[in-house]
Amino acid sequence: MSGRIDGRLKELGVELPEPATPVANYVPATTSGGNIVFISGQICAWNGTLRHIGKLGAGIAVAEGREAARLCALNILAHLRAACGGDLDRVRRCLRLGGFVNCTPEFTDMPQVVNGASDLIVEVFGDIGRHARAAVGVSSLPAGVAVEVEATFEIG
């Protein structure tokens, strides 16, 4: 389908990856009450190829972490599109993002890293993309990736 949000993606030069197949016993998205969509945590991979492996504060700079978070958000949008039957114009609001940053104990710039995801969601959706958020540091993430992001959206 081609709608307003697809047009915005094109205008921004944003291509979405193919939605990844889950690697464990979970589904990529669930819907509650017909209008709340929960997107499972997405790691920084592009069409199955892992990117941004390592820890913030130990070889991965904040700018690269931001790119990793942005890639997570692209994967979120790919799954959201699938959950919306291919029509991102059904999105009424991004309610929340949860960002997990693989980092050293001394690293404290998790919010700046997760901005990579937040900024993309707001660029794509405008005001309805503004959301509540958590940005936490963790000692490890799947496959050693730098960032993982989950999301909750309201759809119509």
Side-chain angles (χ1 to χ4, degrees):
M1 292 187 166
S2 183
R4 182 180 58 80
I5 298 299
D6 284 333
R8 180 70 179 143
L9 289 169
K10 187 175 181 177
E11 176 184 311
L12 292 169
V14 172
E15 178 186 349
L16 298 184
E18 290 298 316
T21 302
V23 297
N25 189 17
Y26 67 92
V27 294
T30 59
T31 304
S32 178
N35 67 333
I36 303 296
V37 178
F38 298 90
I39 306 293
S40 295
Q42 298 299 307
I43 61 174
C44 38
W46 180 262
N47 291 327
T49 301
L50 295 174
R51 296 187 179 172
H52 310 289
I53 306 298
K55 286 186 177 287
L56 278 289
I60 303 248
V62 171
E64 183 179 349
R66 221 178 274 120
E67 285 302 312
R70 185 178 192 281
L71 181 52
C72 294
L74 291 172
N75 283 295
I76 285 168
L77 293 176
H79 284 292
L80 180 60
R81 177 185 272 165
C84 289
D87 185 6
L88 286 171
D89 286 352
R90 290 183 59 197
V91 173
R92 297 291 170 253
R93 179 115 202 237
C94 179
L95 299 172
R96 181 181 184 279
L97 294 183
F100 305 91
V101 179
N102 184 3
C103 61
T104 63
E106 301 79 24
F107 186 81
T108 60
D109 288 333
M110 291 77 79
Q112 288 73 28
V113 170
V114 180
N115 277 347
S118 292
D119 292 349
L120 178 68
I121 297 300
V122 173
E123 284 177 40
V124 170
F125 292 107
D127 282 341
I128 67 169
R130 298 195 182 283
H131 50 271
R133 187 180 88 175
V136 297
V138 297
S139 63
S140 171
L141 284 172
V145 297
V147 181
E148 180 174 352
V149 181
E150 65 181 7
T152 307
F153 290 86
E154 178 185 0
I155 63 170

